Amino acid sequence: MTEADRQAGGAEEGDAETAHADAGRADSTLWGFRVPSIWLVAGGGWIGRGIQVIAQLVAVRILIQGLGTAGYGVFAVLASLNGWLLLSDFCIGISLQNHISERRAAGQDTEDLILTGALLSLGAVCIMGLVVLLIGPWLSHMVLGEVGFLSASDRTLAFYAVAFPGIGTALGTVMYRIWFARHRGYLSNLVPAAGTVIGTASVWALQHTHAEPRIALATAFYYAPLAVLPLIALAATVARARRNHRFHRELVRPLLSRAFRFWVSGLLAAAVLQVDYIIMVQVLDVHDIVIYSVATKLFLLIFFVYNALLQALWPVCSEAIARHDWHSVRTIVNKYIAFGVVFTLVAGVGVAIVNPWIVRLLAPGLNTPIPMIVIALLTFYIMIRVWTDTFAMVLQSMNDLLLMWLVAPIQSLLSIGLQILGARWFGLPGVIGGLIGCFVLTAVWVLPLRCWLHARRDALT
């Protein structure tokens, strides 16, 4: 989740040439130098993700100062809903990305796909927006009902403040998927970085113009730019596509068919990864939630470095598998998993060393460093995610979600159950231990086995 940026509307001839190039060695020209495409996109990802997470960490301090520790705890719980909200386009964007990669491998035009996929996504988010509007009061009570200092109307406003920008961002991610498929994925990391910086600056300005900014207002100011920027780019791309292409009804079925599989998989993944804050707000105190928020943001910065590589490798693997080149896929997987594990271990040690200074800088109100057990568990958890997410990326790049469908329900039940038990028995470390347990019992061994079976079957045919 890789080729140099070409001007919008550039020749499809360049796309065809890239599609037939060796995926692992495709180069691009940057200021006169030949740069491997994967590393160009990953480099853009590192810069973009780095800026994004640093801005998020700055926002932690600003929000704690403006909203107080309790108010920031509510903001952190609301922010955790974004993983669910990004499914509002019903994963049409992911389906569109893989369709574009397949056409690139065949040297075919992709503009009609882009126009059709974007319009389908627009319809999907409009439906989701209406649903959220109608059931927002009930959802806000379900998520924030244990927060006693907020009235029912304040809870609903705070929920809408994250929900509607989140739905807009889901539509905007269609543009990110188009960029990844066209090997311009660095833009998919730089644009959200810009949105996060603007959002952080907006919250800072709000704090200096309102003596006590409300949680809903601060949330809306922070998340609105993340939706607006990609939507502008998507609107421009669709406008260009409309000049020579039209909505193709015959593309609707294949786009939606794959999208539905990805959407179900995404819902199950959210049930694994996006329930931690919802559980914590029911069981733990605000102090633990803030510690978890600061710690996970630090480790997400570590994981984003690797995730940028994964996103860059997704279309590369799609094209390699389309050519039945499993040797390249195996080489990529082995090489980048080794890099990710070593990098995570070194970065985790670094976080442990600078832990007291980080807390004093970002959340001085906590008056306590991040517990070392939390740092150790998060380091191990990210190493597990490096392993599992790499194999998941390979399977998704070839549209194989069957195994994920079969395993994810079990994993989601394990995630919820183990996190609830862990939180009640061991507190915050138990939440992280529950996450680790649900991966070790399922995805850690199932996903590599599925990839090996695909490679073996392809070799025998």
Side-chain angles (χ1 to χ4, degrees):
M1 282 171 220
T2 291
E3 174 178 344
D5 182 24
R6 292 187 300 271
Q7 293 297 324
E12 286 291 331
E13 179 184 4
D15 290 347
E17 291 173 355
T18 303
H20 290 93
D22 184 306
R25 296 173 304 186
D27 292 341
S28 301
T29 301
L30 179 65
W31 298 320
F33 295 95
R34 301 292 291 178
V35 180
S37 296
I38 292 173
W39 290 100
L40 179 61
V41 174
W46 292 335
I47 294 171
R49 297 290 192 175
I51 293 172
Q52 191 173 11
V53 176
I54 289 170
Q56 289 174 346
L57 292 171
V58 172
V60 170
R61 183 182 181 97
I62 294 171
L63 289 165
I64 289 178
Q65 290 175 337
L67 303 176
T69 303
Y72 177 74
V74 174
F75 176 87
V77 173
L78 290 170
S80 72
L81 300 177
N82 275 295
W84 296 92
L85 294 167
L86 287 176
L87 298 170
S88 298
D89 77 328
F90 293 96
C91 293
I92 294 171
I94 300 178
S95 175
L96 176 62
Q97 175 180 330
N98 284 359
H99 275 285
I100 293 173
S101 293
E102 289 167 4
R103 283 207 184 179
R104 283 172 55 85
Q108 298 173 353
D109 181 69
T110 61
E111 292 294 302
D112 58 332
L113 266 174
I114 291 171
L115 178 60
T116 304
L119 293 178
L120 288 174
S121 298
L122 176 61
V125 299
C126 287
I127 293 171
M128 187 58 67
L130 179 60
V131 171
V132 166
L133 180 64
L134 294 176
I135 66 174
W138 175 75
L139 288 173
S140 64
H141 176 74
M142 184 180 70
V143 175
L144 300 175
E146 298 297 319
V147 180
F149 64 87
L150 288 179
S151 66
S153 60
D154 286 338
R155 288 196 299 264
T156 301
L157 283 174
F159 176 77
Y160 285 151
V162 73
F164 289 114
I167 292 171
T169 302
L171 179 58
T173 56
V174 174
M175 188 68 243
Y176 299 151
R177 294 293 178 176
I178 293 170
W179 279 330
F180 277 127
R182 287 181 160 183
H183 294 241
R184 303 173 186 172
Y186 51 89
L187 294 175
S188 302
N189 293 297
L190 295 177
V191 171
T196 304
V197 170
I198 295 171
T200 301
S202 300
V203 170
W204 178 87
L206 178 66
Q207 179 182 324
H208 285 75
T209 54
H210 289 68
E212 295 183 5
R214 298 178 63 178
I215 294 173
L217 196 59
T219 302
F221 270 56
Y222 183 78
Y223 282 108
L226 287 167
V228 171
L229 294 184
L231 287 176
I232 292 173
L234 181 61
T237 300
V238 170
R240 283 193 298 270
R242 284 192 61 193
R243 295 174 187 171
N244 300 308
H245 298 83
R246 60 179 179 83
F247 182 90
H248 281 192
R249 291 183 180 180
E250 60 270 21
L251 295 175
V252 172
R253 185 181 181 86
L255 280 170
L256 292 184
S257 176
R258 284 188 185 176
F260 178 74
R261 296 198 299 258
F262 281 115
W263 186 65
V264 173
S265 178
L267 284 176
L268 295 171
V272 174
L273 301 174
Q274 305 297 332
V275 296
D276 45 2
Y277 281 93
I278 297 173
I279 292 171
M280 285 190 294
V281 78
Q282 311 295 328
V283 180
L284 304 180
D285 59 32
V286 172
H287 182 268
D288 285 332
I289 293 175
V290 176
I291 286 179
Y292 183 76
S293 177
V294 174
T296 52
K297 279 182 170 54
L298 291 171
F299 279 89
L300 279 177
L301 177 59
I302 297 169
F303 186 60
F304 280 163
V305 172
Y306 186 73
N307 196 48
L309 275 174
L310 279 189
Q311 291 302 307
L313 291 169
W314 182 317
V316 174
C317 286
S318 290
E319 294 170 15
I321 292 170
R323 297 192 306 270
H324 307 284
D325 184 9
W326 277 95
H327 174 73
S328 294
V329 174
R330 283 193 296 269
T331 300
I332 288 170
V333 166
N334 294 337
K335 178 177 167 182
Y336 289 102
I337 283 180
F339 167 79
V341 168
V342 172
F343 177 79
T344 300
L345 183 60
V346 172
V349 172
V351 170
I353 293 172
V354 300
N355 177 21
W357 294 278
I358 290 175
V359 174
R360 281 201 295 269
L361 177 65
L362 299 178
L366 285 178
N367 298 319
T368 179
I370 302 169
M372 292 301 296
I373 183 64
V374 171
I375 293 175
L377 286 171
L378 284 174
T379 301
F380 185 52
Y381 170 66
I382 296 300
M383 292 169 70
I384 289 174
R385 289 292 303 278
V386 165
W387 173 270
T388 59
D389 283 30
T390 302
F391 289 104
M393 178 275 296
V394 172
L395 293 175
Q396 290 181 83
S397 72
M398 59 186 301
N399 305 297
D400 179 9
L401 302 177
L402 177 61
L403 186 65
M404 296 184 198
W405 281 19
L406 297 176
V407 171
I410 301 172
Q411 188 178 6
S412 62
L413 291 175
L414 286 171
S415 175
I416 295 170
L418 292 175
Q419 286 187 72
I420 291 174
L421 292 175
R424 289 179 175 169
W425 291 349
F426 305 106
L428 180 56
V431 175
I432 306 169
L435 269 172
I436 292 172
C438 77
F439 274 90
V440 170
L441 293 173
T442 54
V444 160
W445 59 274
V446 171
L447 298 182
L449 178 61
R450 180 69 169 177
C451 288
W452 178 80
L453 289 174
H454 273 298
R456 186 171 180 270
R457 185 183 304 118
D458 207 14
L460 294 176
T461 57

